[in-house]
Amino acid sequence: MNDDKLKSLFADFEPQLSPDSQFIDRLERSLNSVEIIRQHAAGVRKRNRVAVGIATFSGFIIGVLFSLMLPYLSNAVAEWQLTLSNESLMHAFADQFSIIAWSVVGASSVITALNAYEISLQFLAPRTIRKST
């Protein structure tokens, strides 16, 4: 009984098919669109990898340079600490100098890396030419 109802429901169904050439044209346009998107995604991945490399290098260089300055700063702070009274707030700051200095080195490296990443992404972005009308 249900089969007869289904057969009668679909008996008059004859969808209109587009010509083969239109189907092929639509298919080619769709495939071209997919290829363009794939190429764009590959370009974005490449730019991101390059930007991460630049950011890593710049953060490492800043970290090394600041680390090389720490012994000189430690000596300067040690000499400065001798002139301070034991009750002053600056004396407590001088006692914790190595922790503060390494925190500054780490923060400087991270900030430099983040800024280098953002700047390099801006420079690596594809240029678009606007047509004036």
Side-chain angles (χ1 to χ4, degrees):
M1 182 185 242
N2 285 338
D3 290 337
D4 293 334
K5 287 181 181 179
L6 285 175
K7 286 180 185 178
S8 66
L9 180 66
F10 288 110
D12 296 331
F13 182 70
E14 293 182 18
Q16 182 180 4
L17 298 176
S18 62
D20 290 342
S21 61
Q22 286 180 350
F23 173 76
I24 295 296
D25 289 341
R26 264 196 326 242
L27 181 61
E28 285 178 354
R29 281 195 309 267
S30 297
L31 289 175
N32 287 339
S33 297
V34 168
E35 183 63 25
I36 289 169
I37 292 170
R38 190 188 65 77
Q39 288 174 353
H40 178 71
V44 168
R45 277 194 306 271
K46 182 180 178 184
R47 284 191 300 274
N48 279 335
R49 276 186 262 135
V50 170
V52 166
I54 291 170
T56 302
F57 180 74
S58 63
F60 178 76
I61 293 299
I62 291 298
V64 167
L65 291 176
F66 278 30
S67 297
L68 292 174
M69 290 180 3
L70 283 181
Y72 301 111
L73 290 175
S74 292
N75 289 339
V77 169
E79 290 175 11
W80 175 58
Q81 189 177 13
L82 294 176
T83 63
L84 299 172
S85 68
N86 287 339
E87 293 84 26
S88 76
L89 180 64
M90 297 308 281
H91 193 275
F93 171 76
D95 283 339
Q96 303 300 323
F97 174 73
S98 63
I99 294 171
I100 295 168
W102 280 110
S103 298
V104 169
V105 169
S108 299
S109 297
V110 168
I111 289 170
T112 301
L114 289 173
N115 286 328
Y117 178 77
E118 292 294 327
I119 291 169
S120 61
L121 274 183
Q122 291 296 320
F123 282 117
L124 294 172
R127 305 283 189 256
T128 57
I129 300 173
R130 296 182 183 179
K131 295 180 182 179
S132 59
T133 55

